[in-house]
């Protein structure tokens, strides 16, 4: 991920990446457009952009999402995309969107990870996203116990609303 | 955006926040939550998250030792 541009890929491998991302996004319930851009971004691997309607929403995945997926000590592609689907739920779910209106960017990121952990199919992806949410609270000065309690309450609330 | 912090770094920071024995700390939190009738999914996720890394490290060390 450190180099400025990813190594060249053949057209068929680029299509395979696009298809893999689209498949994961659909399985996680993403609505809208999904694209793969073979460049490095500063996003961590993917980005959600709200459109004028849900069908116009855009999920963009970048080359580092695949680099991270290939690293056993980093996030899987499924977890990265589930986090972005979490952002879409925050923006589009009628009850959840009301709940989070006006929330800080940092809180939104925590909620996106929690939602991602709820919708993930594999245990390992769910655990990664729960850890990511806990980490965001711990680095903001919460004790691990307070962070876990808070996340547990949030998780129950979100599960009830979904 | 999920951010650029690597998962291994997240694990390290969480372990540091939980003191010298993160698994024992999580077991304590899980027991407390159960006693109070609260949910424990997040704590159990974190426990498995940390345990998974430890198993992988042990596997790596064993593989290394055979060489």
């Amino acid at each position: 991920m450190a180099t400025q541009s990813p190594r060249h890929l053949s057209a068929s491998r680029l299509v395979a990446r696009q298809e893999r991302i689209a498949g994961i996004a659909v399985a996680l319930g993403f609505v809208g457009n999904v694209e793969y851009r073979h460049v490095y971004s500063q996003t961590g691997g993917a980005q959600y952009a709200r459109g004028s309607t849900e069908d116009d929403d855009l999920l963009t995945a970048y080359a580092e999402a695949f680099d991270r997926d290939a690293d056993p000590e980093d996030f899987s592609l499924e977890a990265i995309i589930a986090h972005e689907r979490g952002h879409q739920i925050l923006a589009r779910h009628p009850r959840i969107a009301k709940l989070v209106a006006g929330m800080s960017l940092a809180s939104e990121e925590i909620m996106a990870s929690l939602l991602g952990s709820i919708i993930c199919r594999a245990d390992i992806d769910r655990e990664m996203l729960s850890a990511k949410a806990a980490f965001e609270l711990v680095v903001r000065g919460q004790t691990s116990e307070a962070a876990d309690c808070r996340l547990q309450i949030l998780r129950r609330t979100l599960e009830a609303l979904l | 955006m999920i951010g650029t912090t690597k998962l291994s770094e997240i694990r390290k920071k969480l372990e540091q926040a939980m003191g010298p024995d993160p698994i024992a700390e999580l077991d304590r939190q899980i027991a407390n939550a159960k006693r109070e009738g609260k949910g424990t999914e997040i704590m159990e996720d974190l426990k498995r998250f940390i345990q998974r890394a430890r198993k992988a490290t042990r596997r790596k060390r064993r593989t290394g030792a055979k060489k």
Side-chain angles (χ1 to χ4, degrees), chain A residues 116-156:
Chain A
S117 76
I118 293 168
I119 61 173
C120 267
R121 293 163 296 175
D123 289 348
I124 190 166
D125 300 327
R126 191 191 64 240
E127 292 158 18
M128 285 178 188
L129 290 171
S130 293
K132 162 82 173 144
F135 166 78
E136 294 296 340
L137 288 172
V138 164
V139 294
R140 283 170 180 77
Q142 296 227 356
T143 63
S144 74
E145 188 159 17
D148 294 347
C149 282
R150 203 162 164 191
L151 290 174
Q152 190 63 52
I153 293 165
L154 275 173
R155 188 190 174 108
R156 283 279 161 94

Side-chain angles (χ1 to χ4, degrees), chain A residues 97-114:
Chain A
K98 265 188 208 161
L99 184 79
V100 301
M103 197 172 258
S104 72
L105 203 62
S107 302
E108 214 178 286
E109 290 299 330
I110 292 165
M111 300 281 270
S113 288
L114 264 185

